[in-house]
Amino acid sequence: MPEHSPLDVPEGDPFGPHNLPYGVFSTPAGTDPRVGVRYGASVLDTAAVAAALGSPHAALLAAPTLAPLMAAGRPVWQAVRAEVTAWLTDLAHRAAVEPHLHELDRVALHMPFEVGDYVDFYSSEHHAANVGRIFRPAEEPLTPNWKHLPIGYHGRSGTIVPSGTPVTRPAGQRMGAPDDPEPGLPGPVFGPSVRLDIEAEVGFVVGVPSPMGTPVPRTDFRAHVFGLCLVNDWSARDVQPWEQRPLGPHQAKSFATSLAHWITPLDALEAARVAPPERTHPLLPYLDDTGAGEQPGGYDLRLEVRVNGEPVSRPPFASMYWTAAQQLAHMTVNGASVRTGDLYASGTVSGPEPDEVGSLLELTKGKGPWLADGDVVEIDGWAPGPDGLRIALGGVRGQVKPTGWTPQER
Ligand code: MN
C-alpha cells in the first residue's frame, strides 16, 4: 500500500485546491519565516517550491511577511495562485512539491503582515440597532447618518495580534451601574473590566496602495484589496459607553484585536459573492451600488462563535448593509490614502436572529454573563466555493488572561 501523501487531501476538504489561503510560517528546523499556503492539514512552503522550480515569484514568497506579495497587485496575485494550484494538483510537480508540505501542527504561524492603519466599521444594521437599543434606550436605535455612510473609527494597529495570542483583561474607567460589582458608587471607578466581550468580524487587507488626493472608486475594490480574514475585536462594555460620546470608542477597544493567521484571497471567493441587502435610502454616487450591471458587493460568509468549545452564535456576513467596496470608497473619498498592510474590519457581524449576533452584548441583551478569566473564544467561518464545495476561513482564537497589574486607587 502506498504511503499517504499530504498532497492527497480528501475530496471536498474545505482547505482543498479551490481555497489556498496565505500565511507566514517557520518550521521547527529553524527556517526563517516565509510565505506558506494552507492545504488540507498541511502548510506548503511556497518559497522552497518556487526556488526549486525556478518560479519568477520566488523572492516575493521568501519574504518574512505577505506585504511584498500584497503590494504586487492583482495580476501577480492571480499568477501566483495559478502557479500554486498547479504545484498542488499537477502530477508532474509531485516529487518537487511533496517534501515541502509540513504538518500544520508542527509549524509556527506568525503575524501574516504588519498592520498599517486600522479602521473598524459598524456595518451590520442588526448590530447597530441592537447596540443603540442597549446603550441609548431613549433614542432611535440607528443614528440619522447610519444609512447614508459606513460609520467607522480608527483603531490601534499596534495591538493587533495573531490568533492564539493570549488577551489580557483590560483595565479602565467605568461609570458605576446598578448591577456593577461595586454598586452605588457616586462617580467613575477604575479597575479591570467587568464586562469583557468579543466582536466577531471580517477584516479586509489592503494590498495595493493609493496616493493621497486620489479617491479609490468602489469599482476598484478588487484591484486594491488582497483578501479577507476573521477578526475578533475584543471590547470592554463597561468602559465603552462611558468614554465613547462624543468621539467614539477608544480604550474599550484598543487593548487587543485578534487576527486570523490565514488570509483568504478574494479570487477564492468568487462563488460567495452576493448582493447586499436592499438599500432603503438613496445613496450618494460614490456609495451607490444599486445601478444596473453592478457587481455584487457582498460576501456570503458563515461565521461561528464558540466560547469554551460551545457554539453560541452563527453570524451571517451576507446580511451586512455596507460592503467592503463601499467602505474602501468611503475611507478614501476625502483624499486619504491607503497603504499596503492597512486593515479595515467590517464591524460586528450580526444577523436578524437572536442566535446570529456577533457579541455577548447582544446575545445577553446587555446583561451578561461576560467573559471570565480563562475563557477561550474561537471564531471560524466558511463560504460557498465552486461546485458545491466549501471554502474554510482560518479561525481566530484567544484566551482571556487576568489583568496583570494592580489597579490604581480610585
Ligand atoms: Mn468592532
Side-chain angles (χ1 to χ4, degrees):
M1 207 162 130
E3 206 180 318
H4 173 74
S5 165
L7 275 169
D8 299 325
V9 304
E11 181 120 351
D13 188 303
F15 284 104
H18 53 294
N19 189 340
L20 308 181
Y22 292 100
V24 172
F25 80 104
S26 57
T27 64
T31 54
D32 293 331
R34 73 267 311 270
V35 176
V37 164
R38 178 150 174 194
Y39 189 60
S42 305
V43 179
L44 177 70
D45 184 340
T46 60
V49 176
L53 296 179
S55 161
H57 305 113
L60 289 179
L61 298 171
T65 90
L66 299 183
L69 174 62
M70 285 157 47
R74 190 154 186 238
V76 173
W77 306 338
Q78 291 183 319
V80 171
R81 183 167 165 82
E83 224 177 359
V84 173
T85 303
W87 295 343
L88 291 167
T89 57
D90 187 337
L91 290 176
H93 296 313
R94 206 170 172 100
V97 171
E98 208 164 42
H100 300 299
L101 280 158
H102 301 272
E103 282 178 49
L104 185 61
D105 52 15
R106 300 189 64 176
V107 303
L109 296 173
H110 305 285
M111 190 70 183
F113 60 97
E114 187 181 352
V115 180
D117 279 305
Y118 169 48
V119 168
D120 193 23
F121 283 96
Y122 195 50
S123 289
S124 158
E125 180 176 358
H126 307 290
H127 173 72
N130 291 337
V131 171
R133 280 189 281 265
I134 294 167
F135 280 174
R136 296 176 288 103
E139 298 170 33
E140 281 293 313
L142 292 184
T143 49
N145 54 359
W146 201 91
K147 289 277 178 98
H148 297 280
L149 56 83
I151 293 175
Y153 69 92
H154 274 81
R156 181 172 292 269
S157 55
T159 47
I160 298 179
V161 293
S163 175
T165 306
V167 171
T168 299
R169 178 180 299 275
Q173 236 193 71
R174 66 179 189 269
M175 187 53 98
D179 57 346
D180 196 280
E182 302 177 68
L185 295 162
V189 297
F190 179 90
S193 170
V194 295
R195 296 187 176 196
L196 183 58
D197 195 1
I198 57 142
E199 292 189 337
E201 305 200 14
V202 175
F204 290 82
V205 179
V206 174
V208 173
S210 71
M212 276 176 77
T214 306
V216 178
R218 230 178 41 258
T219 46
D220 283 359
F221 164 70
R222 287 153 63 81
H224 288 271
V225 172
F226 175 74
L228 59 77
C229 64
L230 295 172
V231 169
N232 185 350
D233 176 25
W234 304 86
S235 298
R237 300 300 186 196
D238 40 0
V239 176
Q240 186 180 348
W242 174 232
E243 74 168 359
Q244 77 176 4
R245 300 184 88 175
L247 282 186
H250 184 204
Q251 305 293 87
K253 307 276 191 173
S254 64
F255 57 95
T257 306
S258 298
L259 190 73
H261 288 121
W262 298 105
I263 311 301
T264 307
L266 296 186
D267 281 320
L269 295 166
E270 277 300 293
R273 296 174 74 185
V274 289
E278 194 186 341
R279 275 67 178 87
T280 54
H281 291 54
L283 295 172
L284 289 169
Y286 78 95
L287 292 171
D288 186 2
D289 60 359
T290 61
E294 184 84 20
Q295 301 266 325
Y299 282 96
D300 181 10
L301 314 175
R302 326 282 178 92
L303 277 54
E304 180 176 272
V305 181
R306 293 188 303 280
V307 179
N308 299 326
E310 286 294 312
V312 297
S313 179
R314 292 193 170 86
F317 191 76
S319 67
M320 301 298 274
Y321 192 86
W322 296 104
T323 70
Q326 289 172 316
Q327 290 164 344
L328 180 63
H330 186 65
M331 274 196 298
T332 57
V333 76
N334 62 345
S337 57
V338 289
R339 296 178 294 179
T340 302
D342 284 2
L343 175 73
Y344 63 100
S346 58
T348 309
V349 184
S350 290
E353 302 300 327
D355 60 354
E356 292 181 341
V357 294
S359 68
L360 300 180
L361 178 73
E362 294 162 89
L363 271 173
T364 69
K365 305 228 177 324
K367 295 175 176 27
W370 308 97
L371 293 175
D373 290 345
D375 280 353
V376 175
V377 179
E378 295 161 295
I379 306 169
D380 282 307
W382 63 274
D387 308 320
L389 297 170
R390 285 187 178 196
I391 303 269
L393 305 180
V396 62
R397 179 183 185 282
Q399 183 169 31
V400 179
K401 298 291 182 194
T403 309
W405 58 95
T406 308
Q408 68 191 40
E409 291 299 314
R410 62 174 181 266

